[in-house]
Amino acid sequence: MIVLAYAHPHHARSRANRALLDAAASVPGVAVRNLYDLYPDFDIDVDAEQAALGAADAIVLQHPVYWYSLSALAKLWLDTVFVHGWAYGEGGRALVGKRFFWAATTGGDESAYAPEGVHSQPFEAFVAPMRQTARYCGMHWEPPFILHGAHVIDDGTLAALASRYRDRLAALAAERGTP
């Protein structure tokens, strides 16, 4: 089973994340946990989240990028669920061997993440914290799925990328957590 933690604070206004989420939800074995629906007050049920992740072969975190990082609830989810003694540290082996797949959307197009672009560096420079989180918890890091230009992407390209996302998740589900 794949647990997909979805953390978009404005889901109804997000054309790109909605398309990706719809594609993901169509994959057998994907259990979507819409964090903003589950925890609108940001009071995360840590036991429920840890139980869901403990039963998973793979974990997907999908969200828009805000200030080069996670949405607020996605960050709180990581901080309160991936805790010492459970996800890492002494006795923290609950996530070891699981696959971790990061899916994110950006407002800037790919050219914005070039040396001459507005962000002055490639998007890869912003991947390190997520990759290290997975590795620190003993998870297998999957190459991320990054959709650039979420608010300006044309319908055809969005549909093709959503299909590619669905295919990546289907392949991940077929692997059943085997690194």
Side-chain angles (χ1 to χ4, degrees), residues 123-147:
F123 190 80
E124 180 62 28
F126 307 106
V127 172
M130 293 306 301
R131 182 176 45 239
Q132 185 58 26
T133 297
R135 289 182 175 161
Y136 193 65
C137 295
M139 292 185 282
H140 176 75
W141 172 255
E142 295 290 328
F145 183 92
I146 308 300
L147 186 153

Side-chain angles (χ1 to χ4, degrees), residues 65-134:
V65 171
Y66 284 97
W67 290 106
Y68 313 106
S69 189
L70 308 163
S71 61
L73 189 52
K75 177 66 169 104
L76 181 64
W77 181 79
L78 281 175
D79 289 347
T80 59
V81 176
F82 287 47
V83 293
H84 184 272
W86 186 80
Y88 67 94
E90 187 176 336
R93 303 199 39 84
L95 302 176
V96 171
K98 296 181 186 292
R99 294 183 173 281
F100 187 82
F101 180 41
W102 183 39
T105 60
T106 70
D109 63 19
E110 286 187 71
S111 67
Y113 293 96
E116 65 280 354
V118 67
H119 303 297
S120 305
Q121 51 194 319
F123 190 80
E124 180 62 28
F126 307 106
V127 172
M130 293 306 301
R131 182 176 45 239
Q132 185 58 26
T133 297

Side-chain angles (χ1 to χ4, degrees), residues 24-92:
S26 74
V27 176
V30 172
V32 174
R33 299 189 63 77
N34 187 328
L35 300 181
Y36 279 91
D37 283 353
L38 289 169
Y39 309 114
D41 57 0
F42 281 50
D43 187 17
I44 295 171
D45 183 340
V46 174
D47 292 336
E49 294 304 312
Q50 288 179 345
L53 298 180
D57 298 307
I59 299 164
V60 177
L61 179 57
Q62 180 187 329
H63 63 89
V65 171
Y66 284 97
W67 290 106
Y68 313 106
S69 189
L70 308 163
S71 61
L73 189 52
K75 177 66 169 104
L76 181 64
W77 181 79
L78 281 175
D79 289 347
T80 59
V81 176
F82 287 47
V83 293
H84 184 272
W86 186 80
Y88 67 94
E90 187 176 336

